[in-house]
Amino acid sequence: MRDVDKGITRRGFITSVGMAGLGSILTLAAGSVAAAESAETSAPAIAAIPKGAKLATRKFGKTDVDVSILSLGGMFNILSNQIMLKKCLDWGLTYWDTADCYENGGSEEGIGMFFEKFPDERKKVFLVTKSDKRDPTGMTELLEQSLKRMKTDHIDLYFIHGVNDIKEITGETKAWMEKAKADKKIKFFGFSAHKNMQTLLVEAAKLGWIDGIMMTYNYRLMQEDKMKAAIEACVKAGIGLTAMKSQGGGPVKTDSEAELKLAGHFIQKGFTQHQAKLKAVWQNPDIASICSQMPSMAILTQNVAAALDNSKLTAADWDALRTYEKETASSYCAGCRHHCESALGRECHVSDLMRCMMYHVSYGDTQLARQTFAQLPSEMRLQLGNMDFAAAERACPRGLSIGQIAREALKTLA
């Protein structure tokens, strides 16, 4: 990592979080702040950011581009939060991520509003958006729409959104990518993935022409041998990697005692458990950036503060995270859909259902959960109440109560 600022000292970090941070964490652990886990957030306490502080940057794969180690996730009302974009640039948070579907297009339109008002700021931003279509014609339509919405002539990194199988990336995809690059409408190309990440990363590395991938990656998954091997394959292939879902939240509420224990450990170190989870990911130098949805100035400030703090997690810190991971393993879906599908003998979208409930339970964002649930195949949604998930539960490496969660989803999200 290349540090572009000395950041916040640990003593300063402790002072700024202080007892207010501890109070927030205890409230969170008690379950009364439902949104505190939302989209890789930190606890609500605000740490002071030194004047002139800038985020560190890392090289993005084989490209010649340095990106900020924290990325602004655009799944919020950017149209009404223009001041946050300005603060991002003030702090050197120049990696902005969005998608054609976020806020029904309002996210891209909000970025376009900012660039229209401050056109010179466009050159500072590493701009990422995504296509929900896979066919060349559809991708072209969505790319043109994104360019128009965001008042820009190019996208720095263009993703296919939510890839489930490497077969979705075809020779036609490569040809489309090459033309879009030749036309200078995109600079780099890749995909995002919420599930089946390890296999997708390994297969993408074999293709030889993927520039970047954004995948679910957190303190839980980064300890697994298959994920370590997948990351290594991408690094060797020169693929730039962006982590998302870095808090490791799941579709089931975690035990309050486990939350309190973890929170107590980290507040004594000068940061919240949520900031610690971000720092865990940053400790892997192969991850270029963490994409975090930061829909408020409080969350943005806390995450920037965590990124500026140069202290590393200690062996005791990692032990605390590992203990918490073991105690709450059955609350988290790792997106390993092949276990569910092999057990049930068909494509069943269990991991997608678990993600819907994660948005509801861990993010506290029921609206997003319902929107995502509505995008699931109608046949599955209609049959959800009668589906037998017993075989999938037996096959689940983490012991998720899939049937119970499915029934709760039907009751809450349908």
Side-chain angles (χ1 to χ4, degrees):
M1 180 173 77
R2 179 170 65 84
D3 293 320
V4 297
D5 189 87
K6 291 183 179 179
I8 301 174
T9 65
R10 176 170 292 199
R11 178 174 295 178
F13 200 66
I14 293 173
T15 301
S16 61
V17 175
M19 293 306 295
L22 178 58
S24 298
I25 294 170
L26 295 179
T27 302
L28 165 62
S32 60
V33 183
E37 173 95 352
S38 174
E40 297 71 67
T41 65
S42 305
I46 299 177
I49 305 241
K51 185 176 181 180
K54 298 285 186 180
L55 293 179
T57 63
R58 293 182 181 180
K59 189 71 70 178
F60 192 78
K62 61 190 174 186
T63 75
D64 60 353
V65 176
D66 292 332
V67 297
S68 56
I69 63 172
L70 182 62
S71 165
L72 179 68
M75 198 185 293
F76 68 99
N77 185 2
I78 294 179
L79 283 164
S80 301
N81 289 277
Q82 295 285 292
I83 193 172
M84 289 181 61
L85 301 185
K86 185 64 170 66
K87 290 306 298 181
C88 285
L89 294 183
D90 289 345
W91 291 330
L93 199 168
T94 56
Y95 181 161
W96 296 1
D97 175 273
T98 185
D100 68 270
C101 59
Y102 290 172
E103 295 292 311
N104 293 317
S107 176
E108 289 188 335
E109 290 170 359
I111 292 174
M113 179 188 294
F114 184 81
F115 288 152
E116 187 171 39
K117 188 174 182 179
F118 305 104
D120 291 341
E121 304 287 42
R122 172 64 184 94
K123 64 184 72 144
K124 300 178 183 178
V125 175
F126 185 76
L127 185 61
V128 180
T129 193
K130 311 178 191 77
S131 168
D132 280 301
K133 294 186 178 179
R134 306 294 196 258
D135 63 291
T137 300
M139 290 171 66
T140 296
E141 291 175 352
L142 290 182
L143 174 58
E144 294 297 335
Q145 176 179 265
S146 295
L147 293 171
K148 182 178 180 180
R149 282 175 174 172
M150 293 193 285
K151 314 296 184 187
T152 184
D153 62 358
H154 74 281
I155 304 299
D156 293 289
L157 175 58
Y158 197 65
F159 280 146
I160 293 181
H161 197 183
V163 169
N164 300 320
D165 192 302
I166 200 64
K167 293 178 182 178
E168 297 172 43
I169 310 293
T170 67
E172 283 190 336
T173 310
K174 183 181 180 182
W176 182 93
M177 175 270 297
E178 290 172 342
K179 185 177 187 305
K181 285 185 176 182
D183 292 341
K184 299 188 183 304
K185 293 186 177 181
I186 69 171
K187 288 187 177 180
F188 308 113
F189 181 82
F191 62 85
S192 65
H194 296 94
K195 56 189 176 183
N196 200 28
M197 287 82 62
Q198 295 92 329
T199 300
L200 281 167
L201 266 61
V202 170
E203 294 301 318
K206 296 176 183 177
L207 294 177
W209 51 271
I210 298 296
D211 299 308
I213 298 174
M214 183 165 72
M215 72 289 179
T216 300
Y217 186 82
N218 50 57
Y219 71 98
R220 296 178 187 270
L221 298 177
M222 65 191 295
Q223 301 179 52
E224 298 180 357
D225 289 340
K226 286 186 178 180
M227 180 59 82
K228 291 178 181 178
I231 296 295
E232 183 179 357
C234 286
V235 171
K236 289 181 178 179
I239 297 174
L241 298 174
T242 303
M244 64 174 168
K245 307 294 185 291
S246 59
Q247 288 294 301
V252 180
K253 288 186 181 297
T254 50
D255 183 76
S256 60
E257 289 187 10
E259 295 284 347
L260 283 168
K261 183 178 178 182
L262 190 68
H265 172 88
F266 283 112
I267 198 62
Q268 294 181 51
K269 304 298 294 289
F271 38 84
T272 70
Q273 60 165 309
H274 304 287
Q275 291 167 320
K277 291 172 184 177
L278 294 175
K279 291 168 76 66
V281 174
W282 281 318
Q283 233 164 279
N284 182 352
D286 295 327
I287 303 300
S289 187
I290 295 175
C291 182
S292 174
Q293 182 183 335
M294 297 176 280
S296 72
M297 192 63 72
I299 294 170
L300 173 64
T301 306
Q302 280 286 293
N303 287 5
V304 169
L308 289 170
D309 176 54
N310 290 328
S311 61
K312 305 292 185 184
L313 297 187
T314 65
D317 297 334
W318 280 105
D319 285 343
L321 284 172
R322 291 188 184 100
T323 298
Y324 177 77
E325 193 280 330
K326 291 177 181 178
E327 291 177 352
T328 61
S330 62
S331 70
Y332 179 72
C333 175
C336 46
R337 67 175 191 155
H338 57 281
H339 291 293
C340 298
E341 293 183 358
S342 296
L344 297 177
R346 62 188 176 92
E347 187 175 13
C348 52
H349 298 277
V350 166
S351 60
D352 293 318
L353 180 64
M354 297 299 106
R355 182 158 58 93
C356 294
M357 287 302 291
M358 178 198 68
Y359 291 145
H360 170 63
V361 174
S362 295
Y363 283 24
D365 192 337
T366 304
Q367 180 180 357
L368 175 60
R370 286 173 175 162
Q371 289 174 348
T372 309
F373 181 77
Q375 294 170 6
L376 297 179
S378 57
E379 181 182 355
M380 178 189 180
R381 287 185 280 114
L382 290 171
Q383 296 179 357
L384 199 56
N386 299 319
M387 290 180 68
D388 182 1
F389 291 102
E393 290 180 347
R394 290 192 295 271
C396 179
R398 294 176 177 270
L400 274 171
S401 300
I402 298 171
Q404 180 179 338
I405 299 170
R407 290 189 291 274
E408 184 180 349
L410 186 62
K411 178 181 178 181
T412 307
L413 307 181

